[in-house]
Amino acid sequence: MQRPHRKNSRRIGLAALIVFFVLPMAKSQEPTITPNYREADIRQIVEAVGEVTGRNFILDPRVNAKVTMLSSTPMTPDAFYEAFLSILQVNGFIAMTAGDIIKIVPDASARQYSGLLTTENAAADDIVTQVVRVDNVGAAQLVPILRPLIPQYGHLAAHPGSNMLIISDRASNVDRMLRIVRRIDQANDEEIEVIRLEHASASEVVRVMTALTQTPRADGVPVTTTLVADSRTNSILIGGDKSERLRIRALVTHLDTPLEDGGDTQVRYLSYADAEELSTKLQQHFAQQAAGEAGAPSANSTNQVSVWADTQNNAIIVSAPPKMMRSLMSIVDKLDIRRAQVLVEAIIVEVVADRSADFGVTWATDGSGSNSAIGITDFSGVGTSVLDLGTAIGSGGAGNPAGLIGQGITLGVGRITDSGTSFAAILSALQGDANTNIISTPTIVTTDNEEASLNVGQEVPFLSGSFSNTGSVGGAINPFQTIQREQVGVKLTITPQINRGDSLLLKISQEVSSIAASSEGAADLITNERTIETTVIVEDGGILVLGGLIEDTLRESEQRVPILGSIPILGGLFRSRSSDLVKTNLMVFIRPKILRDSSQTAMETDSKYNMIRQSQQGGRVNLMRDADRPVLPPLEDYKYTPVPETEEISENDQ
């Protein structure tokens, strides 16, 4: 029973639509319709609109709503279609045109479908994507202003590169947005005024006025006035709104007044320069300018300029006529600037390989049994020899075997008898290898054109002599040794000069000394010393090799008994040989970096500080559970936020 009822309801709805459809009385008159719906299914309305307007529709499965539409006057099919689009908008749906097909989808997914690219020939509720070019205002600045005017399903974005806005919304709202953008995108009619000063200094007046104009206004309107000083012509350039320009012009005119008698003195607080040094140079400069043709200063001008320094406040006090005061303050403005700093990092690499080998045989024979040697050999540099052994035994050194053993290996053979032939032979052999690998990177920071030095090392004691004296009590012997201490380490002295651009002129004096590892096992210390003094030009952040040394040294020596040492095989008993091979590779590099502002200085400091902190091993101390290993605290503990200083303007500054 329900299915026929639904069919009847559908027929009734279509019949109602047909009843409201009235044919024209004349051929030139369009057909009209007076639709009236109460709680009708929106799908039935779509079907009716399709029959009246001849359009084809595709409905999203999510399109489902009950619609009420009441009309008391007839409307054309086009007007009926516009009303249908309004019905869709009220219920959260939108009609997207794609060729001959109209898609009806929820408006939340409207941006996923292609729409029209212009509002021309578009219905009020059609989705349009418009690209708007902005000429006088930044497109990104308009996005926060226009965003509240775009519904959630719309889209608004700025492309800073081309200064364009992209707007996607219904055609009616896009038209409204275009009108708003045109009213905002107006050319600025601000002009630039030039005010020439007669008495005051342009740079000082700009400093005072800038502090005044940067104060936020009570009404929240941003201040767009710009002031620039031209020291060459002692003029001020003012840009901004006309009313602001008039206000600033009046203030500048008030400040540009001649000073009263005795009021031509100013106190200038310096930020970076040294007051005492700068005051001396300024006084000399103006004294030379005031000198007459004969070379003597004229009394009319020398007494007019006086510059002296207040070291406690790092300020200079200047007394001069207005014209000379402006010239002097212009010089101070150019000299009292923040000087750049230079971070210099030296890279020192030294690799030394030292190899040595010694081999020798010494022997002695006695054929009479009366302890008189009839044959003996002795060579220098072979360690313990037969002669050393015999001397030690004769002096009672046999009780100290450690004193008879040389370096390396010592082998002895022989036979000692009361009668017959006695003989003894000692073979000594020694081979040594020593490798030295040194890498150091001393780093130093200094101001431009200021010498700085770094010295990192230690004092090493060297035995310079020894003596003994007999005491007065009991004849005791007191041995003494004299020690001389020499510094071993890295010394770096540098004077950087920042040239035009990003290059640096570096005057460098560098010395590297170290204790060498000897392959010969000598008891005395051997120090290596490397010194470089040069002047180079390096680019900012570049690496330059200052110099180096690549050395291969081979020393071979042979000692032998004449004739006997030349006998093959058997001659080895009458020879002593030694070889020493030393290879040295040394290179010194330099890497400067300019630190122009506080941010670069902070970055370099943070990186070095964190590198040292990360290299420290934290945790508990071994065997001490209640103690922690010392670790640098986080760098944030040392940082602080500086309190901005309020600059007071005195009458003299004005």
Side-chain angles (χ1 to χ4, degrees):
M1 295 299 295
Q2 293 180 355
R3 292 183 61 186
H5 179 70
R6 290 180 179 177
K7 290 182 179 180
N8 292 336
S9 300
R10 185 176 180 182
R11 292 193 185 98
I12 292 173
L14 294 177
L17 181 62
I18 295 174
V19 168
F20 293 127
F21 185 77
V22 181
L23 294 176
M25 299 298 297
K27 292 183 179 181
S28 61
Q29 186 178 1
E30 275 189 315
T32 59
I33 184 173
T34 307
N36 286 282
Y37 298 98
R38 295 182 182 274
E39 296 295 328
D41 189 357
I42 192 171
R43 297 175 179 269
Q44 295 182 1
I45 299 179
V46 172
E47 184 178 353
V49 172
E51 292 180 1
V52 173
T53 61
R55 291 181 169 88
N56 302 318
F57 295 94
I58 296 179
L59 277 70
D60 189 278
R62 292 169 292 180
V63 177
N64 187 13
K66 297 295 183 180
V67 178
T68 298
M69 178 181 179
L70 303 177
S71 176
S72 59
T73 58
M75 59 181 63
T76 62
D78 292 338
F80 180 47
Y81 182 71
E82 293 291 337
F84 169 68
L85 295 179
S86 300
I87 292 175
L88 294 179
Q89 180 180 3
V90 170
N91 290 274
F93 304 111
I94 192 169
M96 303 294 298
T97 303
D100 296 335
I101 302 298
I102 299 176
K103 304 174 185 178
I104 300 178
V105 297
D107 54 11
S109 58
R111 66 177 66 184
Q112 302 176 2
Y113 297 91
S114 60
L116 301 176
L117 296 179
T118 179
T119 57
E120 296 181 2
N121 301 325
D125 292 326
D126 286 342
I127 291 295
V128 176
T129 301
Q130 184 86 25
V131 179
V132 184
R133 182 180 182 87
V134 184
D135 297 324
N136 302 293
V137 185
Q141 298 177 354
L142 296 178
V143 172
I145 301 174
L146 302 178
R147 176 71 68 185
L149 305 179
I150 298 294
Q152 186 176 2
Y153 61 83
H155 181 69
L156 175 64
H159 184 255
S162 58
N163 201 37
M164 291 184 178
L165 285 173
I166 302 174
I167 306 174
S168 180
D169 198 0
R170 299 181 186 272
S172 58
N173 196 34
V174 171
D175 279 333
R176 183 176 67 134
M177 301 290 287
L178 292 177
R179 291 193 297 270
I180 295 174
V181 171
R182 291 191 190 100
R183 296 188 64 179
I184 297 176
D185 187 24
Q186 299 294 330
N188 194 346
D189 57 352
E190 295 180 355
E191 297 180 357
I192 302 296
E193 293 188 22
V194 179
I195 303 177
R196 186 180 181 88
L197 304 183
E198 297 295 336
H199 306 282
S201 172
S203 59
E204 288 296 317
V205 173
V206 167
R207 182 178 62 85
V208 175
M209 298 306 299
T210 301
L212 178 64
T213 56
Q214 287 180 350
T215 304
R217 294 178 50 171
D219 54 3
V221 178
V223 179
T224 59
T225 307
T226 305
L227 293 93
V228 179
D230 182 16
S231 301
R232 185 179 63 87
T233 61
N234 197 38
S235 303
I236 298 178
L237 285 72
I238 305 175
D241 186 69
K242 185 176 181 180
S243 59
E244 288 294 327
R245 295 201 311 268
L246 292 175
R247 184 175 69 92
I248 293 177
R249 188 181 184 91
L251 293 175
V252 171
T253 304
H254 174 72
L255 294 177
D256 187 29
T257 56
L259 299 176
E260 299 178 358
D261 294 338
D264 53 353
T265 301
Q266 292 191 21
V267 178
R268 177 67 180 269
Y269 295 95
L270 303 181
S271 301
Y272 305 101
D274 182 76
E276 187 173 3
E277 181 180 357
L278 184 59
S279 63
T280 303
K281 293 181 179 179
L282 290 174
Q283 188 69 46
Q284 293 175 355
H285 170 71
F286 283 97
Q288 293 174 358
Q289 273 194 344
E293 295 182 357
S298 61
N300 187 26
S301 56
T302 306
N303 298 330
Q304 292 180 345
V305 179
S306 174
V307 184
W308 58 280
D310 179 19
T311 56
Q312 285 83 3
N313 296 310
N314 195 36
I316 58 174
I317 295 86
V318 183
S319 297
K323 182 178 180 180
M324 301 190 74
M325 181 72 74
R326 291 196 300 268
S327 177
L328 190 145
M329 290 302 171
S330 177
I331 296 175
V332 174
D333 290 337
K334 292 180 173 61
L335 296 179
D336 187 28
I337 59 175
R338 179 189 177 99
R339 297 166 61 187
Q341 300 183 96
V342 179
L343 170 68
V344 180
E345 182 178 6
I347 304 172
I348 305 167
V349 182
E350 182 176 2
V351 180
V352 179
D354 188 355
R355 300 181 61 188
S356 64
D358 297 323
F359 181 83
V361 178
T362 59
W363 54 268
T365 62
D366 182 6
S368 63
S370 59
N371 295 329
S372 59
I374 62 172
I376 188 169
T377 61
D378 188 17
F379 304 106
S380 62
V382 296
T384 302
S385 65
V386 171
L387 185 60
D388 296 334
L389 182 62
T391 303
I393 294 175
S395 62
N400 184 14
L404 305 178
I405 300 176
Q407 298 176 353
I409 184 172
T410 302
L411 299 178
V413 295
R415 185 182 66 179
I416 300 175
T417 62
D418 295 335
S419 62
T421 301
S422 300
F423 72 93
I426 293 180
L427 181 146
S428 298
L430 173 65
Q431 181 173 351
D433 293 319
N435 294 319
T436 303
N437 189 353
I438 300 174
I439 299 178
S440 59
T441 56
T443 304
I444 190 170
V445 178
T446 182
T447 310
D448 183 24
N449 278 322
E450 292 290 341
E451 180 180 312
S453 61
L454 175 68
N455 189 353
V456 179
Q458 55 184 206
E459 290 188 351
V460 180
F462 292 89
L463 180 63
S464 59
S466 62
F467 65 93
S468 60
N469 59 357
T470 303
S472 59
V473 180
I477 298 176
N478 297 325
F480 287 90
Q481 291 182 341
T482 58
I483 302 296
Q484 181 180 356
R485 297 182 179 272
E486 295 184 5
Q487 193 166 17
V488 176
V490 178
K491 297 179 181 179
L492 176 62
T493 302
I494 189 167
T495 304
Q497 177 182 339
I498 301 176
N499 296 335
R500 189 173 184 179
D502 291 332
S503 62
L504 296 100
L505 177 67
L506 301 177
K507 295 181 180 179
I508 302 172
S509 175
Q510 184 165 342
E511 178 181 341
V512 181
S513 57
S514 61
I515 300 176
S518 176
S519 63
E520 299 179 354
D524 293 336
L525 297 178
I526 300 176
T527 58
N528 297 327
E529 185 173 347
R530 312 286 189 258
T531 303
I532 292 180
E533 292 186 5
T534 183
T535 301
V536 296
I537 296 178
V538 194
E539 298 297 325
D540 180 22
I543 298 179
L544 178 66
V545 57
L546 295 182
L549 172 67
I550 299 178
E551 182 183 38
D552 286 348
T553 304
L554 176 62
R555 293 186 295 270
E556 294 181 325
S557 64
E558 180 177 305
Q559 299 177 4
R560 61 184 177 180
V561 178
I563 302 174
L564 296 179
S566 303
I567 300 174
I569 303 176
L570 187 60
L573 300 176
F574 304 93
R575 289 196 302 264
S576 173
R577 291 183 293 181
S578 65
S579 299
D580 191 4
L581 177 61
V582 180
K583 293 185 177 181
T584 303
N585 295 309
L586 171 65
M587 285 294 168
V588 179
F589 303 89
I590 202 75
R591 179 178 178 269
K593 187 174 183 181
I594 302 175
L595 307 178
R596 297 190 181 276
D597 50 30
S598 58
S599 60
Q600 292 182 337
T601 305
M603 289 178 59
E604 291 296 332
T605 303
D606 292 356
S607 63
K608 298 295 183 182
Y609 189 93
N610 293 328
M611 179 188 67
I612 296 298
R613 189 171 186 270
Q614 291 174 2
S615 64
Q616 294 178 322
Q617 300 295 329
R620 299 292 183 180
V621 180
N622 295 333
L623 305 180
M624 298 181 184
R625 296 183 179 181
D626 57 343
D628 295 332
R629 297 180 183 272
V631 180
L632 284 174
L635 190 59
E636 290 75 12
D637 295 348
Y638 293 105
K639 292 184 177 180
Y640 67 97
T641 303
V643 179
E645 298 181 357
T646 303
E647 184 175 352
E648 297 182 358
I649 303 173
S650 63
E651 295 180 357
N652 292 332
D653 291 334
Q654 296 180 357

